[in-house]
């Protein structure tokens, strides 16, 4: 379950090659995408690969995990902006195929229901990419989120706002709420890959490793999924027993 790579770049290169091949084999793929610093090397590698050897992406559909409430898509810290900047604009993906929850709609509850329904209507997620928060959140599913949750509004924990505050000028500017895919939506994906890199993720990786399947550790829900890989670098693997790790050295 825990696959260890020598560096964040090695994970990016491995997963970008894997994604490239999957899209090549199945151009109609439905891809679940994540944001955060962890994904940046992967998106940069994938964008470069696709620029060097273009594929027809017109049938590809993507769904992002989450979005802040009250940040419009043109706000530089919105996830819509992040995705355009790191991936969508480079790949030429249009809004009709590259979906994010709308954090500035008038009826948020209707938006939540519609988002889960849109994923089901697309045939479900074939492959879900995930990062992880230092408190174990996946998407924005904070500790104690029910494992049977669908897309919902979440009040962000202090821990998450502090972690994500590094992207904002003032802590007061960090949104207090977000829309996130629920844990059940994530578990419905056919294949899941969680990525964690850096020494600051070593503690949460150890917590996840030792955790039973329990709502106090949202990412532990993934332990019940039949097709989950957790890709980490040496730094993030530092506190997991060495004999439990599978090394990927290419
Ligand atoms: C945010 C996102 C998560 C992401 C997490 C980790 O809270 N909602 O989806 O996994 O940040 O981000 P980073 O990769 O920057 O550590």
């Amino acid at each position: 379950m825990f696959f260890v790579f020598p560096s964040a770049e090695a994970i990016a290169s491995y997963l970008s090659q894997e994604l490239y091949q999957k899209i090549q084999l199945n151009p109609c793929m439905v891809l679940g995408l994540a944001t955060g610093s962890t994904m940046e090397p992967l998106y940069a590698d994938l964008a470069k690969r696709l620029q060097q050897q273009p594929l027809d992406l017109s049938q590809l559909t993507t769904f992002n995990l989450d979005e802040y409430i009250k940040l419009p898509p043109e706000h530089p810290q919105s996830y819509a902006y992040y995705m355009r900047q790191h991936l969508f604009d480079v790949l030429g993906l249009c809004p009709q195929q590259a979906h994010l929850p709308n954090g500035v709609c008038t009826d948020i509850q209707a938006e939540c229901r519609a988002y889960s329904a849109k994923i089901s209507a697309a045939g479900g997620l074939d492959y879900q990419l995930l990062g992880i928060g230092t408190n174990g959140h996946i998407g924005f599913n904070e500790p104690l989120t029910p494992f049977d949750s669908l897309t919902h509004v979440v009040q962000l924990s202090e821990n998450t706002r502090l972690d994500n505050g590094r992207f904002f000028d003032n802590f007061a500017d960090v949104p207090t709420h977000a829309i996130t895919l629920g844990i059940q939506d994530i578990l419905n994906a056919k294949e899941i890959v969680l990525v964690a890199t850096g020494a600051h993720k070593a503690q949460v990786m150890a917590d996840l490793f030792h955790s039973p399947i329990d709502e106090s550790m949202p990412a532990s829900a993934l332990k019940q999924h039949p097709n989950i890989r957790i890709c980490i670098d040496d730094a993030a693997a530092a506190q997991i027993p060495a004999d439990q790790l599978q090394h990927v050295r290419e």
Side-chain angles (χ1 to χ4, degrees):
M1 187 174 177
F2 287 86
F3 295 90
V4 186
F5 294 73
S7 65
E9 291 69 33
I11 299 178
S13 165
Y14 180 90
L15 290 179
S16 134
Q17 192 179 347
E18 172 171 293
L19 275 169
Y20 185 95
Q21 287 167 351
K22 281 183 184 284
I23 299 169
Q24 200 168 27
L25 279 172
N26 177 14
C28 300
M29 179 173 186
V30 182
L31 185 54
L33 297 173
T35 50
S37 326
T38 311
M39 295 298 146
E40 288 178 21
L42 168 56
Y43 293 156
D45 198 296
L46 183 61
K48 198 170 91 190
R49 208 174 282 272
L50 282 161
Q51 277 170 328
Q52 285 166 353
Q53 297 162 279
L55 292 176
D56 177 7
L57 301 177
S58 60
Q59 303 305 311
L60 182 71
T61 305
T62 71
F63 287 94
N64 263 79
L65 280 168
D66 43 20
E67 179 59 286
Y68 290 116
I69 288 180
K70 289 191 184 155
L71 287 198
E74 57 279 7
H75 190 291
Q77 301 313 334
S78 72
Y79 287 164
Y81 189 99
Y82 169 108
M83 290 309 300
R84 283 199 309 278
Q85 183 187 26
H86 292 288
L87 205 63
F88 297 164
D89 284 356
V90 199
L91 304 191
L93 298 188
C94 64
Q96 287 70 33
Q97 63 182 143
H99 308 274
L100 283 105
N102 178 358
V104 288
C105 56
T106 43
D107 188 344
I108 294 271
Q109 295 307 330
E111 170 68 12
C112 291
R113 284 192 299 276
Y115 200 69
S116 287
K118 233 187 293 180
I119 295 175
S120 302
L125 298 162
D126 292 311
Y127 185 107
Q128 176 68 59
L129 272 175
L130 292 177
I132 187 167
T134 55
N135 63 357
H137 74 236
I138 48 176
F140 266 132
N141 291 285
E142 298 282 29
L144 301 181
T145 303
F147 283 174
D148 61 358
S149 53
L150 300 178
T151 304
H152 62 283
V153 173
V154 60
Q155 178 167 7
L156 301 175
S157 69
E158 186 78 355
N159 178 86
T160 297
R161 292 185 68 232
L162 284 169
D163 279 355
N164 293 2
R166 69 190 191 278
F167 299 112
F168 293 81
D169 292 337
N170 303 299
F171 181 65
D173 297 338
V174 184
T176 55
H177 292 77
I179 300 187
T180 181
L181 221 59
I183 294 185
Q184 185 62 61
D185 292 305
I186 294 171
L187 291 175
N188 288 345
K190 297 181 186 78
E191 180 172 6
I192 303 177
V193 175
L194 184 149
V195 184
T197 55
H200 64 301
K201 294 288 170 77
Q203 182 63 55
V204 70
M205 282 298 106
D207 293 346
L208 173 59
F209 175 81
H210 292 292
S211 174
I213 299 176
D214 189 273
E215 289 174 355
S216 61
M217 164 53 74
S220 69
L222 303 171
K223 293 186 179 192
Q224 46 184 314
H225 194 278
N227 194 359
I228 163 78
R229 278 172 295 156
I230 298 178
C231 297
I232 54 182
D233 64 0
D234 285 327
Q239 296 180 38
I240 299 177
D243 61 351
Q244 301 298 316
L245 300 169
Q246 204 163 317
H247 286 273
V248 182
R249 300 273 185 253
E250 291 193 308

